Amino acid sequence: MNGLAGKTAVVTGAGSGIGRASAERFAEEGANVVVADIDEEGGRETVDAIEDAGGDATFVDIDVSDVESVEHMVDVAVDTYGGLDFAHNNAGILTGFAGVTDIDEDQWEQLIDINLKGVWACMKAELSVMEEQGGGAIVNTASESGLVGMGGLSSYSASKHGVVGLTKSVALEYASRGIRVNAIAPGPTKTNIQANSPDTDADPRSLPFDTSAMTDVPMDRVAEPEEMAGATVFLCSDDASYITGHTLPVDGGQAAD
């Protein structure tokens, strides 16, 4: 795609799933990649895969709910590669299906801290660098649950609706400053996001994908992480130079149903 070669991207949650696929796709298009994840083993595996394919990547340990940790991630990008051109704020958790009255306060706060505050913290750090250097592009990972309500997922849906609204508002703030801000809204994807919950000890990379809780998809299949990566990298590329403030459903037609 146009405009990525020689540039620098950061990807959060890049140790597995959509984040790993996104980091690898940025590298395939010629970008340097800062691979950010709280999972050091997974993150370093992503770096190894990129380097084995001839790309350039650097791992940074990050907790997106911690502002100082996020600022360190951006500092690493600038110190290592001289700037920051693209960001995919992808890290997130799903703490499982529960009725709204069954969600405890700690669970609610933890999910909002990672899924929504984390996106805000990342953009806050990324935007200052992008504005100083005269432009950039950001893609946030929302969800189909950020576009419609889903019973049993009230906290997750609230966080992802927040990401959609935050994306729109920040896009308007920075539209005249050369920075585009968009989001993707993945449908059912082979990511095992529920296993990424801090309450789960299982390694998400070792578990089979469970489609039992997924609703029907018009295209009659579950997406691959690489399909989300393709949409993300497109939105960062020059091919999307007049697109900002939008959330792109990548959901096999669910949003149209």
Side-chain angles (χ1 to χ4, degrees):
M1 295 182 189
N2 293 328
L4 276 76
K7 301 292 183 64
T8 299
V10 298
V11 181
T12 65
S16 63
I18 293 172
R20 173 174 288 181
S22 177
E24 291 179 347
R25 183 61 184 273
F26 272 115
E28 288 173 10
E29 298 293 339
N32 308 308
V33 185
V34 175
V35 173
D37 205 302
I38 200 168
D39 172 14
E40 181 173 356
E41 181 182 357
R44 293 197 182 280
E45 287 178 1
T46 302
V47 170
D48 289 344
I50 289 172
E51 292 180 340
D52 288 347
D56 193 344
T58 299
F59 172 73
V60 60
D61 187 349
I62 184 176
D63 174 359
V64 296
S65 68
D66 182 275
V67 172
E68 290 185 1
S69 180
V70 170
E71 291 172 346
H72 173 66
M73 173 190 72
V74 173
D75 287 343
V76 168
V78 174
D79 293 344
T80 305
Y81 299 114
L84 177 61
D85 303 286
F86 313 118
H88 183 191
N89 300 319
N90 167 74
I93 61 169
L94 173 61
T95 53
F97 289 82
V100 65
T101 59
D102 295 322
I103 301 168
D104 63 39
E105 184 176 2
D106 289 343
Q107 182 185 25
W108 174 275
E109 290 181 349
Q110 184 179 56
L111 195 145
I112 296 297
D113 272 356
I114 294 172
N115 289 5
L116 181 54
K117 177 188 172 184
V119 171
W120 163 78
C122 285
M123 285 201 291
K124 182 178 175 67
E126 295 153 359
L127 286 163
S128 61
V129 174
M130 290 180 178
E131 183 172 19
E132 184 176 343
Q133 66 187 29
I138 294 173
V139 175
N140 301 317
T141 296
S143 168
E144 62 174 338
S145 300
L147 301 174
V148 298
M150 288 194 172
L153 287 176
S154 57
S155 56
Y156 182 76
S157 183
S159 72
K160 293 302 186 177
H161 272 76
V163 170
V164 171
L166 182 61
T167 297
K168 291 178 180 180
S169 296
V170 176
L172 292 175
E173 288 183 29
Y174 283 84
S176 64
R177 307 186 214 182
I179 301 172
R180 297 184 299 103
V181 185
N182 293 289
I184 59 168
T189 308
K190 296 178 182 178
T191 63
N192 297 301
I193 186 173
Q194 186 168 341
N196 285 321
S197 165
D199 298 326
T200 303
D201 293 330
D203 181 346
R205 291 162 290 136
S206 68
L207 297 175
F209 182 76
D210 179 11
T211 61
S212 62
M214 298 303 174
T215 56
D216 291 336
V217 178
M219 289 183 69
D220 199 29
R221 66 178 178 85
V222 173
E224 299 291 337
E226 290 76 14
E227 293 175 291
M228 305 302 144
T232 297
V233 173
F234 161 71
L235 288 170
C236 285
S237 75
D238 289 347
D239 295 330
S241 59
Y242 204 53
I243 301 174
T244 195
H246 290 280
T247 297
L248 175 63
V250 191
D251 63 357
Q254 280 191 309
D257 191 8

